[in-house]
Amino acid sequence: MIRVLIVDDSATMRALIAAALSTDPEFMVVGEAGDPLEAREAIKALNPDVITLDVEMPNMNGLDFLERLMRLRPMPVVMVSTLTTRGAEATLAALELGAVDCVAKPTSGAPHAFAALPDKLRAAAQARVRPLREACAAVETDGSFAPNDKIVAIGSSTGGVEALLTLVARLPANCAPTVITQHMPATFTGSFAERLNRTCAAEVREARDGDPLTTGKVFLAPGGDRHLEIDGVSHLRCRVAAGAPVSGHCPSVDMLFESVARTAKGRGFGVILTGMGRDGARGLLAIREAGGRTLGQNEASCVVYGMPKAAFEIGAVERQLPLEKIGAAIRQLTNKEGER
């Protein structure tokens, strides 16, 4: 039984969340709280396995509460957010602080938004949540780094916001061309690309159809109903096009990785990070079979060891590393002097 504490200033929203979990015998709503003070007391008294939290609560700062929680008593938190610019900014900040995942609030256009909540809470209840860490300083270019011909593709999902912020901070300003697919709603990816850009010495932005893959550029897949792939022959570029979900997701990591294997062949370099499910495993294997290099995040450093595990089990992962060492490994294997 997964014990859930619901934290939201809206009684209506608390009731909707409770109703979404009421038909699943795996969950027990052990309490509700309307503000951070109530939540703090409820955590002490009820010892929940996972918390749902709305950071957009008026007249109180949910982010401050989350930051204190992750510093003093780290535990799994799933954010409940509106799909607005303000909601996206608040949720991204929360995910950076260590919240495991987010789910959109129901609207007239998306009345069944909470259908995904049980699966997200299951994953969160099994997640490895660690104390809040300090932000990484960006790595600048030094004279010893000169990019080779590799094309880097990175895939992530649950826990990926924090993982990507850690990883891109370790990429040099003249990094190898890099493309990223992170499972994320469409309204979040633009803000997330800006956040990554502030962390990375290289330029990071949301991918547009036709963007050329060049040194020092990192492209993030737009969320929603489009996939990010690469195509081209002598000059590779981003291809962003609408499509049905693949491996259960849009954008799909498998779609990105398979396009890298098909187009870049031995120049491809795939990296699979924390996430729930199997998206990316098949595509990473394709990169390795095409002669490319592959890395996977190890179990101990993953928030959810789902996607890297699935890839490792089918032989797609050449080497597993802790998150903190993946950036350095990418620099080494994309450096003309360091590859081996």
Side-chain angles (χ1 to χ4, degrees):
M1 183 81 58
I2 298 171
R3 297 162 54 83
V4 182
L5 172 65
I6 301 170
V7 183
D8 199 298
D9 70 300
S10 166
T12 299
M13 195 57 61
R14 294 197 301 269
L16 287 173
I17 294 170
L21 301 176
S22 64
T23 58
D24 193 323
E26 193 171 351
F27 295 97
M28 175 187 292
V29 176
V30 295
E32 299 180 9
D35 61 54
L37 182 59
E38 287 182 16
R40 186 179 65 185
E41 297 305 315
I43 290 169
K44 292 178 183 177
L46 302 172
N47 193 30
D49 298 311
V50 62
I51 295 174
T52 69
L53 174 65
D54 178 11
V55 292
E56 300 167 89
M57 295 182 289
N59 303 319
M60 58 190 76
N61 196 328
L63 286 174
D64 282 349
F65 168 70
L66 178 64
E67 183 174 9
R68 292 190 184 97
L69 179 69
M70 300 311 289
R71 288 191 187 282
L72 301 175
R73 185 174 176 171
M75 61 190 309
V77 176
V78 172
M79 309 309 303
V80 181
S81 171
T82 57
L83 292 181
T84 62
T85 300
R86 179 173 175 269
E89 289 290 344
T91 303
L92 286 171
L95 292 168
E96 187 175 350
L97 288 170
V100 175
D101 211 335
C102 63
V103 66
K105 292 180 180 179
T107 64
S108 57
H112 306 297
F114 280 164
L117 184 58
D119 284 343
K120 290 179 181 288
L121 288 174
R122 285 189 190 92
Q126 299 172 20
R128 295 172 182 83
V129 181
R130 291 171 291 276
L132 185 62
R133 294 174 293 188
E134 295 299 324
C136 299
V139 174
E140 297 294 340
T141 305
D142 60 43
S144 65
F145 184 84
N148 54 25
D149 65 350
K150 291 287 189 288
I151 304 296
V152 179
I154 302 169
S156 54
S157 186
T158 312
V161 167
E162 185 181 8
L164 287 168
L165 285 164
T166 298
L167 192 156
V168 301
R170 290 169 165 79
L171 300 180
N174 58 337
C175 68
T178 301
V179 283
I180 301 171
T181 289
Q182 157 73 29
H183 298 156
M184 183 172 280
T187 51
F188 286 19
T189 47
S191 296
F192 185 43
E194 292 175 4
R195 195 172 283 268
L196 289 172
N197 189 52
R198 294 194 293 269
T199 302
C200 187
E203 179 186 349
V204 184
R205 62 179 173 82
E206 196 174 42
R208 297 178 301 219
D209 192 50
D211 279 334
L213 298 186
T214 55
T215 297
K217 297 292 178 65
V218 180
F219 297 104
L220 177 70
D225 61 353
R226 294 174 290 172
H227 293 289
L228 171 61
E229 300 177 85
I230 69 167
D231 66 9
V233 182
S234 56
H235 300 289
L236 301 182
R237 60 185 181 274
C238 294
R239 181 175 184 270
V240 179
V246 173
S247 302
H249 296 278
C250 191
S252 164
V253 180
D254 272 329
M255 286 283 283
L256 177 62
F257 284 175
E258 287 173 357
S259 73
V260 170
R262 182 173 61 250
T263 305
K265 298 182 172 59
R267 297 170 58 198
F269 187 159
V271 181
I272 193 160
L273 303 177
T274 176
M276 180 173 62
R278 301 186 60 85
D279 186 28
R282 184 183 71 224
L284 195 71
L285 182 61
I287 291 176
R288 191 170 189 188
E289 290 178 340
R293 310 300 297 264
T294 63
L295 295 175
Q297 188 175 349
N298 72 351
E299 181 174 5
S301 67
C302 279
V303 172
V304 177
Y305 185 57
M307 288 163 48
K309 179 183 180 183
F312 180 75
E313 289 178 342
I314 64 171
V317 176
E318 181 181 344
R319 188 164 36 134
Q320 293 192 105
L321 292 172
L323 174 64
E324 292 75 13
K325 294 186 177 181
I326 291 177
I330 292 173
R331 291 201 310 275
Q332 179 189 27
L333 295 174
T334 57
N335 190 352
K336 286 180 179 178
E337 302 300 321
E339 182 181 7
R340 65 175 185 271

